[in-house]
Each structure stands twice: as C-alpha cells, then as structure tokens.
C-alpha cells in the first residue's frame, strides 16, 4: 500500500511538471508567433506601431518595445519575456555605455595626474611647454563656450528660410562687434588713450614671490622689506619671513590683464571671422568647388587684413589723445597687433582646411568642422594620410619661408614682418586643424569608436581629445631633447625657435580637440531642457566666468613667467638673475647652479 502511494505521488508530480512546461512552452511560442505577426503586418502594409502597448487579451507586443511594455510582459509571461530583442539590445547598449564611461573615467584620472607630473618636472622647458598647452587649451574652449552660446541664442530668433546673404551680413556685424570690443578693451586696460599723463606704469615695487602662499603676487609695503638693494629680498609679515621680488607692479598687472583679455577676445574675433568665411563657403556658387572654397577663404582674409590696416591708422592717430606718447601706447599697439594676428591666423587656417577636406572627401563639413550626418564622405587610408601630409607640408613650408626671410632687408619693414609672422602662425594652426580632422577620419575608418557612438559623438570626441593630449605630452619630451642638443651649439638658435613653433602647433591641436568635446557636452546638456538655446548661453557664460579668473591667475601667469625666462636667457642657456627667484621652489636649484650653499630665507636680508 505504501509503495502504491509513493508511485501515485511520483506520477502526479511528473504530470504536473509536464503540464507546466507545456504551458510555458505554449506561452513562449505564442509570443514568438506574435512577434512574427507584428513583423509581417509591418512588412505588408502596417506601420508596426499599431499596438501601442500589451493588452490583457493579447500577449503579443509590437517592436520596438518600450520599458513599460517589457515590464508588463514580464508580469504576464515571467522570465521568458527577457528573450525579447529590445531587452537584449537595451542590455547591450547599457554595457557599451558603462564601458565608455569607465574608459573616460580612467583616462581622465590618468590625464590629470600626468599633468601634475609635467608641471612639476625638473626640466624648465617641459614645465614651460606644459603650461603653454594648458593655457591655450583653456583659452580656446572658454572662448568657444562664450561664442557658441551667443551664436545659438541669436540663431534661435532667425527663421529657417532666411536668405544666406542676410545671415552673412549679420555674421559680418558680429565680427565687427568683437573686433571693436578687442580694440577698446585693450586700450582701456593699458591706459593708452584715456588715463592721462600722470600715471607712471614703470614705477617699481615689491611683490610676494613665495608660490606656496595664498597671497602670492600681492604687493608688499616697502617699509616691511629688509633690504631695498637688489632684485630680491625678504619681508617680515606677521612675524614670518617671506621672499619678495622687485618689479614694475603696475606694468606687470596690466600686462597680465591685457594678455588675458587679448587672448580671449582674439579667439572670439577669430571665431566670428570663421563664421563669416564659413557662411560664404556654404553659399551657392562656392560650396561645390574646391577653388571657390579657397577663394572664399581669400576674400575673408582680405576683409580682415583691410580692417587691420584701418585699425592701425586709428591707433596711430589716437595715441596722443591724453597728451603724451609713452610706453603705454607702445604696449597697447604690440598686444593688439599680436591679438589681431592670432584672430586672422585662426580664421584662414580653418577655412583652408575646410577646403582641403572637401577636396579629399567630396563633402564640405559644417561650420563647426563636423561632416553632416546625412553625408557619407569618401574616407580611406590614402585620403587620411593625404590630410596628415598636407598639414605637415604647409607647416614646414611656412617655417622654412620664415627662416629664409627673417634675416633679409625686407623683414625690417613693419608690415612685411607682420605678414611673415602671421604666415608662420597660420602654418601651425593649419597643421593642428589637419591633424584633428585626419584623426577623426582615422577613427571613423578603423571603426575603433563605433562601440561608443562613433568619432563624432560626445564620447568619441572626449576619447579623441584624451588620445591627442597624451600624444602631445609624449611629443614634448622628444622636442625637448632636440632643443637641448641645439643649445650645445652656441651659434645655432634656429632649432630652438623651430621647436617652439611645433609646441605652439601642439598646444593649438590639444585646444581644438578639447573645444570639440566641450561643444558636444554643452549641446548634450542643453538639449535636455525645454529652452536649449537659452540654457546653452547661460551654461557657457557661467562656465566662462568660473574659469577665466583661475586661468589668468594660476595658468596664464605661469606661462608669462616662463616666457620671460626664455626671453631673458642668454645664448648659452643661463638665466638672468631677475627671474631666478620668481618661484620659491626654484631658488635652491638656482643657487646650486651658482655653486652656492642652500640658505634660509633670513640670509637674503
């Protein structure tokens, strides 16, 4: 009897399991049949979107499934609903997203720590190169944030069917606005025209030279300085001995402000010139021919250079408005001329590379430098290498021309010298734009960034910026070795100048790559709001206001110090005594070079 009961229980259990399995198999088959029916309906004439959700009496779900549909079908069918293609695709996308974010996190941390290594490296040249790259990068993407925000805001009010000629005229107006703002800002900061003759910017004072203090660079009253003889001394502040240095306080402060705003406004003027030339290149009659694209770039450059000549004449006639012509007028003219050169070089280099990319790929990129989404440019390795080669060839040719003519009698002419210097800058920027464009093509052709959305996605732009930044860091070590070897030959200074031109090109390249990444980030965030244009403008303004003061005080000032060190360096590589004590951590090293024992701060008195 007991055995019969056990046998009966086993039969009931097996039948129950079989029934459950059949029900589950039937449900799965029904789901698969529903999917086939949905696909068939979509192929025969249905839209595929008729079933907006899962109904209680209809367990078939039309693709693509939403999160609500997947959740409902999981409730109805159990774990078998996880077999749906949409759920599998969602999990795959999540894995790719997690991989991309992890790569960016690791790369960003390594990149930031590498910067700390480089800015504290033993070699002065390595530190100078690193600070220059950082300064150029911050200034470029800050300018882009401001310019793109303003452009997005005013383009919001422009109807989509507006004639290109009207947009061109508006862009020309914005270019004139930024250019005039550049002239007026530097004139006011320098005090060249409206300050009067009573201000002496060459008056000397004492500044704190200890970079470990929060008040580094602030002026010290002369009564607190122990020894007033010489260029360096010690001041007693609150019972603590502090290193101080003698300098022209007012002039140095104005030079710092002028360098900051001249750099930013030069980039903004250059981007406005790019907007003018890019609009002209995309107009009918220009956009379908390589030579017409180059003609548009030349027309844009002629407009810029003509405006520069007019501004130069205005500066010459207004230099004596305050009744005196002094070092303030000279400083104003030099800074503005350098800013104008940067703006013109930025515009002509970008427009030239736009034409080169059209010649190689058959597709004219947008004004932002990115190919249209609907276009499929012809990209292969010969074209990629061709863009790299063209950028390098243009850069080498401009540098060679500069070295050939700089010792001639024609170079003594002010206007000729300015054109040659501008040509050298244009060659460096053209090389940077070509490398950036070719690197994007290379990422597209090799499909290495397809898993993270492609080379032109937000993640792809960030990864490309990190790769180019690491490449620039590695390159500066090789360039430093070349410059160090050139210093061994006391008569050869051309190699060192060439190396500095290459460093300038690398800094521009890194700056442009991060500019693309930040432009993507601002656009992605602003698109999540109900007013993306206003959000884009406000975010760019807030980020710029938070970055500019720190950039000027902690980065640009370092660049100016290292640049002055190079200018004060003799042909044998020995530093002048004035800048040996600018930084507290460099003093013992300077004394070691002079074969003097290390001393405490009180010994400087």
């Amino acid at each position: 009897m007991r055995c019969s009961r056990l046998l009966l229980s086993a039969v009931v259990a097996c039948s129950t399991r079989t029934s459950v399995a059949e029900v589950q198999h039937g449900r799965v088959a029904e789901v698969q049949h529903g999917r086939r029916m949905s696909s068939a309906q979509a192929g025969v004439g249905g839209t595929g979107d008729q079933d907006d959700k899962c109904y209680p009496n209809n367990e078939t779900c039309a693709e693509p499934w939403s999160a609500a549909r997947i959740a409902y079908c999981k409730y109805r069918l159990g774990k078998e609903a996880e077999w749906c293609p949409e759920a599998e695709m969602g999990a795959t996308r999540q894995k790719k997203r997690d991989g991309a974010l992890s790569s960016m996190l690791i790369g960003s941390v390594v990149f930031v720590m590498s910067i700390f290594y480089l800015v504290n490296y033993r070699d002065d040249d390595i530190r100078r190169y690193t600070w220059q790259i950082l300064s150029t990068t911050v200034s470029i993407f800050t300018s882009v944030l401001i310019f793109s925000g303003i452009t997005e805001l005013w383009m919001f009010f422009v109807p989509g069917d507006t004639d290109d000629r009207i947009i061109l005229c508006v862009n020309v107006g914005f270019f004139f606005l930024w250019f005039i703002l550049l002239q007026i800002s530097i004139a006011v900061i320098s005090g060249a025209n409206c300050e009067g003759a009573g201000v002496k910017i060459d008056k000397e004072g004492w500044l704190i030279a200890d970079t470990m203090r929060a008040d580094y660079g602030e002026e010290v009253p002369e009564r607190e300085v122990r020894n007033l003889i010489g260029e360096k001394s010690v001041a007693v502040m609150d019972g603590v001995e502090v290193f101080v240095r003698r300098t022209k306080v007012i002039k140095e402060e104005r030079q710092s402000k002028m360098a900051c705003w001249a750099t930013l406004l030069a980039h903004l003027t250059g981007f406005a010139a790019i907007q003018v030339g890019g609009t002209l290149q995309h107009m009918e009659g220009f956009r379908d021919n390589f030579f017409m694209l180059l003609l548009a770039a030349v027309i844009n450059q002629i407009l810029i250079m003509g405006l520069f000549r007019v501004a130069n004449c205005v500066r010459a006639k207004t230099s004596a408005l305050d009744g005196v012509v002094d070092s303030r007028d000279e400083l104003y003219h030099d800074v503005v001329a350098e800013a104008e050169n940067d703006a013109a070089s930025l515009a002509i280099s970008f427009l030239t590379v736009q034409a080169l990319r059209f010649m190689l790929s058959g597709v004219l990129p947008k004004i932002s430098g990115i190919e249209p989404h609907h276009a499929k440019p012809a990209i292969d390795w010969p074209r990629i290498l061709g863009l790299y080669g063209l950028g390098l060839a243009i850069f080498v040719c401009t540098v060679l021309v500069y070295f050939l003519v700089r010792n001639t009698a024609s170079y003594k002419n002010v206007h000729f010298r300015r054109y040659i210097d501008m040509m050298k800058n244009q060659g460096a920027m053209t090389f940077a734009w070509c490398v950036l464009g070719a690197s994007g093509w290379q990422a597209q052709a090799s499909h290495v960034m397809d898993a993270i959305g492609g080379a032109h996605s937000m993640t792809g732009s960030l990864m490309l910026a990190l790769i180019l930044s690491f490449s620039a860091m590695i390159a500066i070590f090789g360039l430093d070795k070349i410059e160090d070897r050139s210093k061994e030959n006391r008569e050869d200074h051309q190699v060192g100048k060439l190396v500095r031109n290459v460093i300038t090109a690398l800094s521009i390249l890194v700056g442009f790559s991060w500019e693309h990444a930040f432009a993507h980030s601002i656009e992605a965030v602003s698109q999540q709001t109900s007013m993306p244009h206003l959000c884009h403008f406000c975010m760019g303004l807030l980020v710029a206001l938070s970055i500019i003061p720190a950039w000027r005080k902690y980065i640009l000032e370092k660049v100016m110090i290292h640049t002055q060190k190079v200018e004060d360096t003799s042909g044998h590589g020995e530093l002048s005594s004035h800048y040996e004590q600018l930084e507290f951590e460099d003093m013992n090293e300077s004394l070691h070079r002079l074969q003097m024992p290390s001393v405490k701060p009180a010994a400087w008195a």
Side-chain angles (χ1 to χ4, degrees):
M1 180 67 68
R2 185 175 299 175
C3 293
S4 62
R5 287 180 180 178
L6 292 175
L7 181 62
L8 180 61
S9 300
V11 171
V12 172
C14 291
S15 62
T16 303
R17 290 183 179 179
T18 304
S19 300
V20 171
E22 289 177 352
V23 170
Q24 292 179 348
H25 178 73
R27 286 179 175 178
V28 172
E30 191 174 5
V31 170
Q32 295 175 349
H33 174 69
R35 293 175 192 157
R36 290 194 294 268
M37 290 296 294
S38 299
S39 301
Q41 290 175 358
V44 172
T47 62
D49 295 330
Q50 295 175 354
D51 295 333
D52 194 42
K53 62 181 180 179
C54 292
Y55 295 96
N57 298 327
N58 182 14
E59 295 177 350
T60 62
C61 297
E63 297 180 12
W65 286 10
S66 65
R69 280 183 258 173
I70 294 174
Y72 175 78
C73 288
K74 283 185 179 181
Y75 171 76
R76 292 279 301 180
L77 302 179
K79 65 180 181 180
E80 288 80 5
E82 296 177 359
W83 295 353
C84 67
E86 182 66 22
E88 294 179 359
M89 291 175 61
T92 302
R93 285 196 297 266
Q94 183 64 33
K95 290 180 180 179
K96 292 181 178 180
R97 189 181 299 113
D98 291 343
L101 292 175
S102 301
S103 301
M104 287 189 295
L105 177 61
I106 296 172
S108 300
V109 171
V110 174
F111 177 66
V112 171
M113 298 311 298
S114 301
I115 291 176
F116 278 105
Y117 279 115
L118 292 175
V119 297
N120 294 282
Y121 202 73
R122 287 186 175 184
D123 195 315
D124 290 342
D125 294 330
I126 296 295
R127 294 203 304 271
R128 173 165 54 88
Y129 298 155
T130 306
W131 283 117
Q132 182 178 352
I133 291 175
L134 287 176
S135 179
T136 304
T137 302
V138 173
S139 63
I140 286 178
F141 79 73
T142 303
S143 304
V144 168
L145 290 179
I146 298 173
F147 183 80
S148 61
I150 295 175
T151 303
E152 285 287 334
L153 188 63
W154 82 264
M155 285 295 293
F156 174 74
F157 300 99
V158 177
D161 57 348
T162 305
D163 190 84
D164 291 339
R165 289 170 293 184
I166 298 178
I167 296 178
L168 179 63
C169 293
V170 175
N171 287 331
V172 171
F174 271 101
F175 169 70
F176 278 107
L177 177 63
W178 287 116
F179 181 77
I180 294 173
L181 186 60
L182 168 65
Q183 306 288 328
I184 296 176
S185 299
I186 305 305
V188 172
I189 295 173
S190 65
N193 299 119
C194 55
E195 196 173 42
V199 179
K200 304 296 183 182
I201 66 172
D202 295 328
K203 183 180 178 181
E204 293 186 340
W206 294 91
L207 298 180
I208 297 176
D210 187 352
T211 56
M212 301 300 293
R213 295 178 58 93
D215 54 359
Y216 168 75
E218 294 185 5
E219 189 172 2
V220 178
E222 194 173 273
R223 64 179 180 273
E224 297 182 4
V225 181
R226 284 185 174 179
N227 188 0
L228 300 178
I229 301 175
E231 301 292 334
K232 55 191 176 183
S233 183
V234 170
V236 180
M237 303 178 62
D238 299 328
V240 179
E241 295 178 335
V242 180
F243 284 104
V244 293
R245 62 184 176 92
R246 186 198 298 272
T247 185
K248 297 176 181 178
V249 179
I250 299 178
K251 184 176 182 179
E252 186 173 298
E253 176 68 16
R254 293 188 180 183
Q255 284 177 331
S256 176
K257 289 183 179 180
M258 291 171 66
C260 172
W261 294 107
T263 302
L264 291 176
L265 292 173
H267 291 155
L268 289 169
T269 304
F271 292 136
I274 288 176
Q275 199 79 7
V276 174
T279 304
L280 185 61
Q281 285 185 331
H282 283 78
M283 293 180 65
E284 187 176 358
F286 289 93
R287 59 186 174 216
D288 297 326
N289 187 280
F290 168 72
F291 295 102
M292 295 302 295
L293 292 174
L294 287 181
L295 178 61
V298 172
I299 294 173
N300 188 70
Q301 188 72 357
I302 292 174
L303 171 65
I304 294 173
M305 297 307 300
L307 188 60
F308 288 175
R309 294 297 295 270
V310 173
N312 190 26
C313 295
V314 172
R315 287 196 301 269
K317 291 185 177 298
T318 59
S319 59
L321 285 179
D322 55 356
V324 63
V325 178
D326 54 10
S327 58
R328 293 174 298 176
D329 298 281
E330 181 181 357
L331 190 63
Y332 167 49
H333 178 79
D334 293 342
V335 173
V336 169
E338 185 176 355
E340 291 175 349
N341 293 348
D342 290 340
S345 302
L346 185 63
I348 188 63
S349 61
F350 179 83
L351 298 176
T352 301
V353 175
Q354 291 281 88
L356 294 178
R357 291 173 65 179
F358 173 80
M359 178 187 69
L360 293 173
S361 67
V363 174
L364 178 63
K366 295 187 291 186
I367 301 179
S368 61
I370 301 175
E371 284 88 358
H373 294 290
H374 63 275
K376 294 182 178 180
I379 300 175
D380 50 24
W381 287 105
R383 290 181 171 87
I384 295 173
L385 295 177
L387 189 56
Y388 278 123
L390 286 172
L392 182 60
I394 292 174
F395 174 66
V396 171
C397 290
T398 54
V399 172
L400 290 177
V401 171
Y402 170 74
F403 284 140
L404 289 174
V405 303
R406 65 183 305 272
N407 294 323
T408 62
S410 301
Y411 192 73
K412 296 180 180 180
N413 182 273
V414 176
H415 299 293
F416 182 78
R417 181 169 64 250
R418 183 178 183 181
Y419 294 147
I420 295 298
D421 292 341
M422 193 182 305
M423 181 191 65
K424 183 186 64 174
N425 293 339
Q426 291 170 1
M429 292 187 182
T430 301
F431 171 74
W433 286 117
C434 285
V435 171
L436 183 61
S439 300
W441 283 1
Q442 184 178 355
Q444 286 182 270
S446 59
H447 304 286
V448 294
M449 294 187 181
D450 290 351
I452 57 176
H456 295 309
S457 64
M458 171 62 219
T459 310
S461 298
L462 182 56
M463 293 299 294
L464 185 61
L466 286 172
I467 292 171
L468 292 176
S469 299
F470 279 117
S471 301
M473 290 180 180
I474 295 173
I476 63 177
F477 284 94
L479 294 171
D480 178 63
K481 295 295 183 182
I482 296 175
E483 187 174 9
D484 290 341
R485 289 186 179 181
S486 68
K487 291 179 181 179
E488 297 176 0
N489 185 359
R490 298 183 178 182
E491 297 180 356
D492 186 11
H493 308 298
Q494 306 300 326
V495 176
K497 294 178 181 178
L498 177 60
V499 169
R500 288 193 287 273
N501 291 332
V502 177
I503 292 296
T504 301
L506 289 178
S507 62
I508 294 170
L509 170 62
V510 175
F512 287 154
S513 63
W514 283 103
E515 173 265 321
H516 276 61
F518 273 87
H520 273 289
S521 64
I522 293 294
E523 182 180 0
V525 174
S526 61
Q527 291 298 325
Q528 303 298 319
T529 63
S530 59
M531 302 180 68
H533 302 280
L534 182 61
C535 179
H536 193 153
F537 171 76
C538 294
M539 285 186 62
L541 187 61
L542 290 176
V543 172
L545 290 177
S546 63
I547 288 177
I548 291 174
W551 166 62
R552 179 201 158 197
K553 186 172 180 60
Y554 303 113
I555 299 179
L556 184 60
E557 187 172 338
K558 291 283 188 179
V559 176
M560 295 177 66
I561 290 174
H562 285 287
T563 302
Q564 188 64 43
K565 281 185 177 183
V566 174
E567 293 177 356
D568 290 351
T569 300
S570 63
H572 311 300
E574 298 174 354
L575 295 176
S576 66
S577 59
H578 178 65
Y579 277 91
E580 285 180 342
Q581 78 289 351
L582 286 186
E583 298 182 6
F584 174 72
E585 62 268 21
D586 293 339
M587 286 187 175
N588 287 332
E589 182 181 353
S590 301
L591 293 173
H592 179 70
R593 287 199 299 267
L594 296 173
Q595 298 181 353
M596 292 175 58
S598 178
V599 294
K600 296 181 180 180
W604 287 105

